[in-house]
Amino acid sequence: MATMNMIQAINSAMDVMLSKDPDVVVFGEDVGYFGGVFRATAGLQQKHGLTRVFDTPICEAGIIATAIGMGVYGLRPVAEIQFADYILPAFDQLVSEASRLRYRSAGEFWAPITVRTPCGGGIFGGQTHSQSPESIFTHVSGLKTVMPSNPYDAKGLLIAAIEEDDPVIFLEPKRIYNGPFDGHHDRPLSSWSKFPQSEVPEGYYRIPLSQAAIVREGSAATILTYGTMVHVSLAAVAEAGLDVEVIDLRTLFPLDAETIEASVKKTGRCVVVHEASRTSGLGAELMALVQERCFHHLEAPIERVTGWDTPYPHAFEWNYFPGPDRVRAALARVMEG
Amino acid sequence: MATMNMIQAINSAMDVMLSKDPDVVVFGEDVGYFGGVFRATAGLQQKHGLTRVFDTPICEAGIIATAIGMGVYGLRPVAEIQFADYILPAFDQLVSEASRLRYRSAGEFWAPITVRTPCGGGIFGGQTHSQSPESIFTHVSGLKTVMPSNPYDAKGLLIAAIEEDDPVIFLEPKRIYNGPFDGHHDRPLSSWSKFPQSEVPEGYYRIPLSQAAIVREGSAATILTYGTMVHVSLAAVAEAGLDVEVIDLRTLFPLDAETIEASVKKTGRCVVVHEASRTSGLGAELMALVQERCFHHLEAPIERVTGWDTPYPHAFEWNYFPGPDRVRAALARVMEG
Amino acid sequence: MSKPGSGLSLHIPEPPARPGQPPDFSKLVIPKAGAQPRPPVDVPAAQLRDTPYDLIRVLDESGRAVGEWNPRLDAAVLRKGLRHMMLTRAFDERMLRAQRQGKTSFYIKSTGEEAVSVAQAYALDARDMLFPSYRQQGLLVARDWPIVDMMCQIYNNTGDRLKGRQLPIMYSVKDAGFFSISGNLGTQFPQAVGWAMASAYKHDTRIAAAWVGDGTTAEGDFHHALTFAAVYRAPVVLNVVNNQWAISSYQAFAGGDETTFAARALGYGLPGLRVDGNDFLAVYAATRWAAERARSNHGATLLELFTYRVAPHSTSDDPAKYRPENEAEKWPLGDPIERLKQHLIVAGEWSEERQVALEAEIDEQIRAAQREAEAKGTLGTPPASPRTMFEDVFKDMPWHLHKQRQEAGY
Amino acid sequence: MSKPGSGLSLHIPEPPARPGQPPDFSKLVIPKAGAQPRPPVDVPAAQLRDTPYDLIRVLDESGRAVGEWNPRLDAAVLRKGLRHMMLTRAFDERMLRAQRQGKTSFYIKSTGEEAVSVAQAYALDARDMLFPSYRQQGLLVARDWPIVDMMCQIYNNTGDRLKGRQLPIMYSVKDAGFFSISGNLGTQFPQAVGWAMASAYKHDTRIAAAWVGDGTTAEGDFHHALTFAAVYRAPVVLNVVNNQWAISSYQAFAGGDETTFAARALGYGLPGLRVDGNDFLAVYAATRWAAERARSNHGATLLELFTYRVAPHSTSDDPAKYRPENEAEKWPLGDPIERLKQHLIVAGEWSEERQVALEAEIDEQIRAAQREAEAKGTLGTPPASPRTMFEDVFKDMPWHLHKQRQEAGY
Ligand SMILES: Cc1ncc(C[n+]2csc(CCOP(=O)(O)OP(=O)(O)O)c2C)c(N)n1
Ligand SMILES: Cc1ncc(C[n+]2csc(CCOP(=O)(O)OP(=O)(O)O)c2C)c(N)n1
Ligand SMILES: [Mg+2]
Ligand SMILES: [Mg+2]
């Protein structure tokens, strides 16, 4: 056991896999000698060698296409996209190629690639360093999408993603790289070391994909959330003083529908919380899923707390970011309604 | 008045706007001399000149970027993407640029572009000539998404889209270019000329965006749909012999929430029908919207009839395509439930 | 459209001739066969700044093989090459007819471009990995992949290994080192570079080869492939098949009026060779050069195969709408099959009689294959149960697809 | 990493020197100033196949202006240019300090690259449209746009015309013909081509100019821009600012070890000029050549401005982690401000005294601007009500944004 923040846990996952499997290679913009703009690959090139951890041209589409080709050869590429905002130039290679290859070749070829990318706001990154694009990926057949909320999960899920034979988008909420963030930006920052989820085994372990975690048991209502918003939701629940069940989805597609269904059937009330913008966001799918499976158990309309349907405005970071107050207000509404 | 099929109506819309506004230009792969692989621009280069209607390199991202630059200069570009499946290479220019330009420049610059592209299946086009990507566009702040279901709407909506100062994705269900299709692929094809919506004015007229059309009034349940599925839904309703209200959304984002809300509050039952794949499809947003606004009026779980969460398999076209039987079954379920 | 004196004007390229006009290839410069120097395979790319503007040709007007690029292949190999090109063409003709008869939904011929795929397959090793576009069926034919298997895919019948999922001709043949064809143009180009980088990473000896058309060079993926290939010196042969047309768009819409496609290589510091794509020997020799260069760890080469798309783009296309009907006949570089046949005859290794006999033999082979394939059905004879359409989306089927399959009733 | 004899091996580029090692520019070939021929602006691109491998230089070691490319600018213009470069640098220094003081979240300096933006702004007409990256603040300075306005954007204060929406330095200045800077690298390059095509379509006389860095040339948008510019002969000047680094990535990761970035032009049949980016006169002359060529309807030119990124990539970066600390000092092409100053002094048009006086004057100007800007607040002083964050998503606010604004309570 060691104490790790999320960056260290992610770094450790790649280190473990590079040591375990000679077919694992890690690459992306500035990930080589420098170790990545968020230091996620720090020290890995020095330890594992120039051809196993290396820089790439600034060409996201080329990075993904290269990963696909390497995967077809038989390697297990782990590609970093420097910011999730910059994954869109690679959208065609991800959606039309990585996600479709196994199907169109009837299983002859596939793309066992993992695409790591930091997402989300709360760091004053402005419009193009703050976005949460996960929702569009959950609409793509053949792609798996993961977003951890703490160091322990991050390492176990990343190892599972790297070992996965299907393409995985691994989204890292950059706001919680160094410590959990409950949305109270005006309060002192807390570091991971004070939290049990920073207790991370040095070695190999997996957390299976498509399994949600109940991070707080409760009976009054269910919050479905993931990433940074897990911490915001927990804070809101504590402040509301309500016995709310909080579910960290961890894998966003394919979803863990059973855990979701069981919880909402138990509580009869549901709030969906994510930082991504609202319309056609993952929250919509969660609401659809819940009402399909729990319609007759619902005692109030499902509420969603999300980023607004605008770009992420630099100076209005905290007006955009869905903080605990908004979650609390939504909880109040579902409890009444 | 003239009798037009959908291709002729779309061609007429561009012809009218090219004649009306010298700043309108039309371009895309094979749209110039040849007139487009679906003939949507046939005759327009000959009539309006080489520099107003022209071919482009096979580079969707470049086509959109060029349109943005022209729009910034002051033109009104109408770009064709040959198949909606091939719009993904341009995804970054559409989402990060066209949709964000007005916001990030605080109104100094904007992209008054219209992107026409044929979508949907039912023509044995296989995986990469059959997709319906509209759902992901409805998640994009700053982008408007339109899909007509008949010639009259197609022309009026396309003219409105071209005159719009915001970027518009104009999706054309290619299966109904020549005639409406109710999903009964084993029956003889019907041509538009037999239907009133093929009565199209030769001149200029607009159908405002974000206004849905109630194509069949009813009280037993509400079907929310668009594009080809409007015709499939109408067939299913007729066959079910139920008094169902069928709403053609026409603009998919921003939605006409009022019309939707009023109908479901009246009927208390709702089925969402689209050809796009299910998870995180537009149907999810529609279900979320309806339960947010009509929760206490709903007498049964909202049902969705959609394409499966798989690619579009060539030989299994009719197993993938959501036909009238599936819509009828869903109607039966909402009537019971 | 230029208004003289009134400032700038927008240039829109136009082909030399449109329907109703006589074909015009007068702007086309065709150097003498044999005049092109053949550099050593390990020459630095910086010393190859003229090759993109030349045209490597081996077969002269009389059919003799001349010059440094003459690969001096055995007559036996050339006869096999002739056979594979003829087989490819006969296969195309048959499948076109099958499409017209409604036995399949779609077809794409490679007529006039057979030397590209067949000679290139010969110049590569059997274990090299191919990342083709949809117009290199000759690669499979040249690797002796069963025609029947290809037909079954085209028919989406019970013999279709791809379970009816793919559009006809979108083959995937792992056992022949032939990558799954994508409907999205150009995506395979940078993927091939990734595969080649992996091969180099593993100290393997296999190289990759990839193909795009002239029109597809405009896609970003073309640039991504060349950039990565140059930066990591990947062992890959990158081919641009310039057949002058991209559906209805003349190659100038990809930049062909401004310079050659081989010249794109210069911008990345890669060798760029421009080759007479209808000259079997030239195509073989240039590809061999690039393959040897790659295999000896000297990195990638860009080849422009200069040819002409004799056939319509596909069965959905009608070229009479945008180019002179008889343009193909006037193509100055002739027909690859005719030219190789001529060469063999001139060399005393072949005769008109043997040609006629071979044609008959091939015709019979194709008919037999077609009978065998059609015994397994044609379009409309489902390759399998619709249950299979929910498989292979993921390695293991997740709950939601189980549920949807159930809902579908399969 | 090659295992000899064991087959292929993967090449990964490395810079000549890393931290702890002495800077090494020995591979860099620097031709004599004045030795480069200046072709007429209407010369066919096909006759410009060597320019990408040369380096246009006007200022010699002693500071004299020599050769055909000498633009023979008035001393008054040069003094103005010196002033604008110094103003840009002083502005950068001030804003860096402001960021350190927490008055803004982020800053990007252009130290050492001032000649690129200032001289290029001079070579273009005032009404030409600029599509910059984030490192061409000198363009705005050279167009005499108020420094105060730039600072207000950086501070996101009540004077920020962009309503606090953009990251600092992501300016948008329509009135100065300066396009909204995007956070996504390279996207403006093909947009500039579209703007230029529109200008040509309207028989306008304005041209466009766009900038990307060496690293950004790897993006697809770079290729899209060059393809469209070549095909439609768009009146645009396409600039690659090769400052050797892309954050921590040496330019070889964009292909810089294999050839020059100017050579990319050859692949599209465009002229490619490689210019000493720290030589004000050379940058002016080459840009002027490209602008005249474009304006006279001869199409686009690709310019590689060869320079060095003296500053860290941004305030989030620490170059000491990946390159020798003193590499900047050893940059063989010197400092653009020093070199222009030397030239003016040698020409008897300037003196150390006047230089010192000018520095003081500029320092005061910047301080005054900063006082004025900070009177309108710094980061944390909202530029407007949060209500405004729901505006400009669309031209007219749709119902869902009204509703969300209400929900937000603004
Ligand atoms: C990304 C993408 N855009 C557009 C198309 C439609 N399309 C199919 S083939 C073709 C023309 C390709 O021409 P070229 O690259 O020259 O190859 P050729 O057909 O001549 O062999 C086009 C535009 C596509 N399949 N994929
Ligand atoms: C599409 C995209 N990918 C990655 C980034 C992150 N990023 C910002 S600047 C930069 C380096 C750019 O280097 P270069 O093009 O050489 O310009 P320079 O900073 O040297 O002026 C990177 C990778 C981005 N902003 N956009
Ligand atoms: Mg072609
Ligand atoms: Mg740089």
Side-chain angles (χ1 to χ4, degrees), chain C residues 272-292:
Chain C
L273 304 182
R274 192 157 162 269
V275 189
D276 176 345
N278 291 12
D279 177 335
F280 187 95
L281 296 176
V283 171
Y284 177 93
T287 308
R288 189 79 199 172
W289 185 93
E292 281 174 21

Side-chain angles (χ1 to χ4, degrees), chain B residues 29 60 82 86, chain C residues 134-135 183 185 213-216 243 245-246 313:
Chain B
E29 297 158 15
E60 293 73 20
Q82 200 163 80
Y86 306 135
Chain C
Y134 46 76
R135 214 180 289 278
L185 290 172
D214 48 296
T216 303
N243 61 7
W245 291 93
H313 169 69

Side-chain angles (χ1 to χ4, degrees), chain C residues 113 134-135 213-216 241-247 249 309:
Chain C
E113 303 176 35
Y134 46 76
R135 214 180 289 278
D214 48 296
T216 303
V241 184
N242 178 4
N243 61 7
Q244 314 303 314
W245 291 93
I247 306 185
S249 303
R309 196 197 77 208

Side-chain angles (χ1 to χ4, degrees), chain B residues 53-334:
Chain B
V53 181
F54 53 87
D55 294 331
T56 62
I58 300 172
C59 178
E60 293 73 20
I63 291 168
I64 301 305
T66 300
I68 293 169
M70 288 179 160
V72 167
Y73 179 94
L75 304 187
R76 287 199 179 279
V78 182
E80 173 179 306
I81 299 296
Q82 200 163 80
F83 286 86
D85 312 72
Y86 306 135
I87 202 168
L88 298 190
F91 201 64
D92 188 55
Q93 282 285 344
L94 283 168
V95 175
S96 306
E97 298 296 315
S99 310
R100 304 285 199 253
L101 184 53
R102 183 188 296 277
Y103 194 81
R104 77 173 196 236
S105 69
E108 277 198 325
F109 301 102
W110 59 90
I113 69 174
T114 303
V115 181
R116 290 182 42 249
T117 187
C119 68
I123 59 150
F124 276 90
Q127 298 182 34
T128 59
H129 303 87
S130 306
Q131 294 172 84
S132 298
E134 65 272 14
S135 306
I136 53 178
F137 291 116
T138 63
H139 183 54
V140 178
S141 305
L143 199 58
K144 298 188 173 186
T145 302
V146 174
M147 194 188 298
S149 69
N150 63 69
Y152 181 86
D153 285 359
K155 180 173 176 179
L157 286 165
L158 181 52
I159 287 175
I162 294 171
E163 291 187 329
E164 181 79 25
D165 282 338
D166 294 313
V168 179
I169 306 287
F170 191 86
L171 292 151
E172 303 170 1
K174 64 179 91 75
R175 182 60 174 84
I176 56 173
Y177 270 151
N178 298 316
F181 177 63
D182 64 9
H184 289 292
H185 53 89
D186 41 6
R187 300 187 189 164
L189 302 177
S190 47
S191 103
W192 275 115
S193 57
K194 297 196 212 63
F195 295 78
Q197 306 101 311
S198 68
E199 288 290 291
V200 177
E202 270 119 2
Y204 170 95
Y205 69 97
R206 303 167 42 103
I207 294 177
L209 304 190
S210 292
Q211 285 186 18
I214 299 174
V215 293
R216 185 193 186 288
E217 294 212 347
S219 56
T222 300
I223 289 181
L224 303 176
T225 187
Y226 52 92
T228 303
M229 290 300 135
V230 169
H231 307 283
V232 172
S233 299
L234 287 169
V237 168
E239 292 159 20
L242 292 165
D243 182 29
V244 174
E245 186 147 288
V246 179
I247 294 180
D248 178 353
L249 297 170
R250 300 199 296 194
T251 295
L252 308 186
F253 184 69
L255 284 161
D256 178 353
E258 284 177 12
T259 302
I260 294 168
E261 178 176 354
S263 177
V264 178
K265 279 187 170 161
K266 176 177 69 176
T267 64
R269 302 171 193 277
C270 181
V271 176
V272 173
V273 183
H274 61 59
E275 189 178 348
S277 62
R278 175 171 304 180
T279 303
S280 290
L282 180 59
E285 175 58 32
L286 292 167
M287 289 169 76
L289 190 87
V290 167
Q291 83 96 49
E292 278 172 337
R293 293 172 167 245
C294 313
F295 181 79
H296 297 290
H297 296 70
L298 282 174
E299 285 158 32
I302 305 165
E303 289 278 336
R304 48 180 165 177
V305 179
T306 68
W308 308 118
D309 286 336
T310 73
Y312 219 118
H314 183 254
F316 296 110
E317 179 103 347
W318 303 122
N319 306 90
Y320 184 95
F321 186 92
D325 300 355
R326 285 176 55 199
V327 178
R328 240 185 17 255
L331 279 172
R333 287 194 297 274
V334 283

Side-chain angles (χ1 to χ4, degrees), chain D residues 214-215 241 243 245-246:
Chain D
D214 47 296
V241 183
N243 62 7
W245 291 93

Side-chain angles (χ1 to χ4, degrees), chain A residues 29-30 58 60 82-83 86 89 129, chain D residues 113 134-135 183-185 212-216 219 243 245-247 309 313:
Chain A
E29 296 158 15
D30 302 296
I58 301 172
E60 293 74 18
Q82 200 164 82
F83 286 86
Y86 306 135
H129 303 88
Chain D
E113 303 176 35
Y134 46 75
R135 214 179 290 277
N184 298 56
L185 290 171
V212 293
D214 47 296
T216 303
E219 290 287 2
N243 62 7
W245 291 93
I247 306 184
R309 195 198 78 210
H313 169 69

